[in-house]
Amino acid sequence: MAFTAFASQATVEQAPRKRSWIALVLLLPGIAYLVLFFLAPLISLIITSFQQPVLDGDIGEYTAGFQWQNYTDALGEYWPLVLRSFGFALIATVLALAVSYPIAYFIGVKARRFPLLQSLMLTLVIAPFFISFLLRTLAWKQIMSDEGPIVQFLKTIAILPSDGHLTGTAFSVIFGLTYNFIPFMTLPLYATLERLDTRYLEAGADLYASPFTVFRKVTVPLSMPGIISGTLLTFIPAAGDYINASRDFLGSSSTAMVGNAIEANFLVLQNYPIAAALSIVLMAVILIIVGLYVRRAGTEDLV
Amino acid sequence: MALKPPTDPMILQAIRHSQALQRARALSLSRRGFLGAAGFGATALALAACSTGDKKELTPAKDVSATEKTLVWDNWPAYMDEDDDGNYPTLIGFQDESGIEVTYNVAVDDNNTYYAKVKDQLALGQDIGADTVCLTDWMVARLVRNGYVQSLDHANIPNIANLSDSFANPDFDKGRQLSLPWQGGFAGICWNKEKVPNGLASVDDLWDTALKGRVGVLSEMRDTMGLIMLSQGTDITGEWGDDEYANAMDAFTEQVENGQIRNIKGNGYLNDLQSEDTYAAICWSGDITSLNATAGDKWEFAIPDAGGTLWNDTFVVPMGSAHKANAEAVMNYYYEPEVAAELAAWVNYVTPVNGAKEAMDAIDPELASNQLIFPDESTLETVHVFRTLTPQEENDYQAQFQKVLLGS
């Protein structure tokens, strides 16, 4: 299962064989919570995704049915958006990893001797959380606006054509996704790199491995749990994100992601079956991708 | 051969053992059964939550206004006069005068989103958390059609006599038995005077190549499509159908796909005008007056020469409201010309109250001559109400519109 990725590397102790009713009782609130707030909505969502419109009904009127065509309709209409979502999420995840790894490495390994610097830098990574996600995204929209400094500079050095712009393009949406999920990537990476035993690196160098080989053969495998949890924490929410790609934030009608299609169908068109079918497709695809990924990059053969 | 009960103790023990096994299996089966039942329970719960139920005539909630002097009112942002401390002077005036305590919520940001939030309660005739709400006329038409709103007692609203004739008989509620306008406005075109010094006269001017990628339009389907249809010579008030809509849709799709239209937004279009991502836009009349007041006198609004749209945000009292008389009291208060003038001086939208213009003369003569707040006959002739759509048309047209918005 995907969640083993988050488990620690410590050897699993044999669970006590004795049946414990106390444990079951303690589990009860958790199970009740899951049934009420996960299982029931999920079943409701599945039922909704098969609903059919009421004949001559008003807007948003649907009745129970088994209209599996909702799925083919939803995919037929929105498959480019589904593809785009996963493409954007993938690029954003890779970019976030590329940006976060050096940061996490610096904080977790290089800055070990300076605890004050270490905690200061960690605070800086977490600091954006003190401001609302929406406000930060809107701020970027302002910064990247046509008359803003970035666009003007890019036009001056002729990287951007004179009628070019950044907001409402794939660039700004991927940028927003990357920016917003960097802390989710950095923190798990930091947590594993912080435990990295630097004596392994010394040993690698003593055995005449180049710094790059040591990084590739020692550091990366040892930080794999952090990489996996970081990429999952970034990729999953990024694929379903609808704020960055929303027309009111960094997107436009050419950058809509599947989340925007779900939102439009649910809130504007009141086409609940299509919205539900799209949500289930999104969930299923994420589950498959993550399952394959964890199987391939699973931690068990890395230790 | 007849069967005899076995007597061998070893066989007996084996039987007992297998019986115990069976019991254990039965137990585990029943546990599975229990899980099944739990699943069924959840399913039933889900079904109950999402079933539409049989349509039945809704009845108004019992009015307890006489004993409970409270009122919850949901409205759009920037739709109530506000002083520097964030208080609402006219609303405080009403509370002092009537003794009714009003909870004023800025809870409506979009007709569809608001409707999506309260539709289940509306359909069951339950309290939606607001005793009265102001929604746009086409949405009010939907609520009226479904029987979701209470009829108003005109005896409690003597000031209804001040209702302007142009708002008195909409096609969904002749004689205003169920609804009453709050504020209205026009959708037209606006431009940045510095960037577009020559100004714009028509919707077609928005498609000028000089403005490529610098045009914003509204995500409110009736306004954007209404203006385009008017520019194509369609009378949006009258008899038109799929063909006229399809023509306008073609023009709209073309401008989105070739990048002429930069973005399609709700209230957020004002940010784009301000940050100069857009130089020109399809926009709402009152917003431009407010924007000029807060961000420098840079923009100008005009009704396109082929005509603009006219809409109204309108009071309704949902069936589940138990404070209808209190709601009627607040409507009556805002139909006092002096109060309406004070409000209009702040919100800059069209007031439906006769006599407010004369009252405004005393406050600010310049505003009294503003055609966007007190339109005269000749201005009103240039704006049109988008006709009420049937549910099928609404579904179809909105789906086509959203398809372009999502680029799918």
Side-chain angles (χ1 to χ4, degrees), chain B residues 142-207:
Chain B
R142 186 192 294 180
L143 303 186
V144 167
R145 181 173 70 223
N146 284 313
Y148 291 167
V149 294
Q150 302 191 30
S151 58
L152 302 175
D153 185 354
H154 286 192
N156 289 337
I157 320 173
N159 286 337
I160 204 167
N162 296 333
L163 174 64
S164 159
D165 286 343
S166 43
F167 298 105
N169 291 299
D171 57 4
F172 58 86
D173 182 19
K174 301 271 185 214
R176 292 288 182 188
Q177 302 300 316
L178 301 148
S179 62
L180 200 59
W182 162 244
Q183 301 282 296
F186 313 132
I189 49 178
C190 65
W191 61 91
N192 184 321
K193 286 187 280 192
E194 290 164 14
K195 305 286 180 185
V196 192
N198 295 329
L200 304 170
S202 68
V203 171
D204 290 324
D205 290 348
L206 289 172
W207 316 147

Side-chain angles (χ1 to χ4, degrees), chain A residues 26-99:
Chain A
L26 287 175
L27 264 177
L28 214 60
I31 291 172
Y33 180 89
L34 278 179
V35 167
L36 206 60
F37 294 109
F38 176 72
L39 202 61
L42 184 68
I43 292 170
S44 160
L45 195 67
I46 294 171
I47 294 173
T48 308
S49 73
F50 287 112
Q51 282 183 345
Q52 57 198 27
V54 176
L55 207 64
D56 284 329
D58 211 300
I59 293 131
E61 268 194 85
Y62 293 89
T63 177
F66 186 71
Q67 185 142 329
W68 54 268
Q69 292 93 329
N70 289 337
Y71 283 85
T72 49
D73 287 354
L75 279 177
E77 170 100 17
Y78 297 112
W79 68 267
L81 277 70
V82 176
L83 281 187
R84 188 185 290 142
S85 299
F86 289 106
F88 280 8
L90 186 70
I91 300 172
T93 307
V94 171
L95 288 176
L97 181 63
V99 172

Side-chain angles (χ1 to χ4, degrees), chain A residues 44 56-59 61-62 77 141 145-147 165 167 247-248 251 253 256 264 267-270 272, chain B residues 46 52 55 112 119 142 145-146 214 256 262-265 272 276-277 279 394 402-403 405 407-408:
Chain A
S44 160
D56 284 329
D58 211 300
I59 293 131
E61 268 194 85
Y62 293 89
E77 170 100 17
K141 181 179 169 312
S145 70
D146 288 17
E147 308 294 319
H165 50 75
T167 53
R247 291 186 311 276
D248 282 319
S253 51
L267 291 180
V268 181
L269 295 172
Q270 267 113 41
Y272 306 115
Chain B
T52 48
K55 264 198 181 166
N112 283 310
K119 71 177 260 292
R142 186 192 294 180
R145 181 173 70 223
N146 284 313
R214 297 291 188 149
V256 171
R262 171 67 162 276
N263 223 330
I264 307 152
K265 290 193 181 182
D272 285 359
E276 300 190 333
D277 271 13
Y279 291 159
E394 165 112 37
Q402 289 298 323
K403 201 173 154 66
L405 266 58
S408 64

Side-chain angles (χ1 to χ4, degrees), chain A residues 164-240:
Chain A
H165 50 75
L166 291 181
T167 53
T169 61
F171 171 83
S172 64
V173 175
I174 294 171
F175 178 90
L177 288 171
T178 311
Y179 163 76
N180 279 313
F181 289 111
I182 274 181
F184 294 95
M185 184 66 96
T186 310
L187 292 178
L189 279 176
Y190 161 76
T192 44
L193 284 171
E194 206 258 333
R195 292 201 304 265
L196 180 74
D197 190 341
T198 47
R199 286 173 302 181
Y200 287 132
L201 309 184
E202 287 163 20
D206 287 347
L207 294 167
Y208 296 102
S210 69
F212 178 70
T213 315
V214 173
F215 176 74
R216 195 168 54 87
K217 295 247 180 187
V218 181
T219 316
V220 169
L222 283 178
S223 58
M224 213 55 191
I227 296 179
I228 291 178
S229 40
T231 44
L232 290 181
L233 283 176
T234 306
F235 182 80
I236 298 173

Side-chain angles (χ1 to χ4, degrees), chain B residues 186-190 203 206 218 223 227 281-285 301-304 307-309:
Chain B
F186 313 132
I189 49 178
C190 65
V203 171
L206 289 172
L218 293 169
D223 291 325
L227 284 190
I282 290 182
C283 60
W284 289 310
S285 55
F301 175 88
I303 294 165
T309 58

Side-chain angles (χ1 to χ4, degrees), chain A residues 72-181:
Chain A
T72 49
D73 287 354
L75 279 177
E77 170 100 17
Y78 297 112
W79 68 267
L81 277 70
V82 176
L83 281 187
R84 188 185 290 142
S85 299
F86 289 106
F88 280 8
L90 186 70
I91 300 172
T93 307
V94 171
L95 288 176
L97 181 63
V99 172
S100 298
Y101 204 95
I103 300 178
Y105 190 85
F106 185 84
I107 305 177
V109 181
K110 295 284 173 189
R112 264 183 213 173
R113 280 170 298 154
F114 315 104
L116 193 67
L117 177 70
Q118 206 176 14
S119 37
L120 186 72
M121 290 195 67
L122 266 184
T123 314
L124 284 180
V125 171
I126 307 169
F129 282 118
F130 298 158
I131 307 167
S132 155
F133 163 64
L134 298 178
L135 280 179
R136 281 182 283 127
T137 314
L138 276 179
W140 274 111
K141 181 179 169 312
Q142 290 297 321
I143 295 170
M144 294 202 278
S145 70
D146 288 17
E147 308 294 319
I150 295 183
V151 172
Q152 291 302 321
F153 174 71
L154 290 177
K155 281 182 180 172
T156 315
I157 60 171
I159 285 182
L160 209 63
S162 60
D163 62 342
H165 50 75
L166 291 181
T167 53
T169 61
F171 171 83
S172 64
V173 175
I174 294 171
F175 178 90
L177 288 171
T178 311
Y179 163 76
N180 279 313
F181 289 111

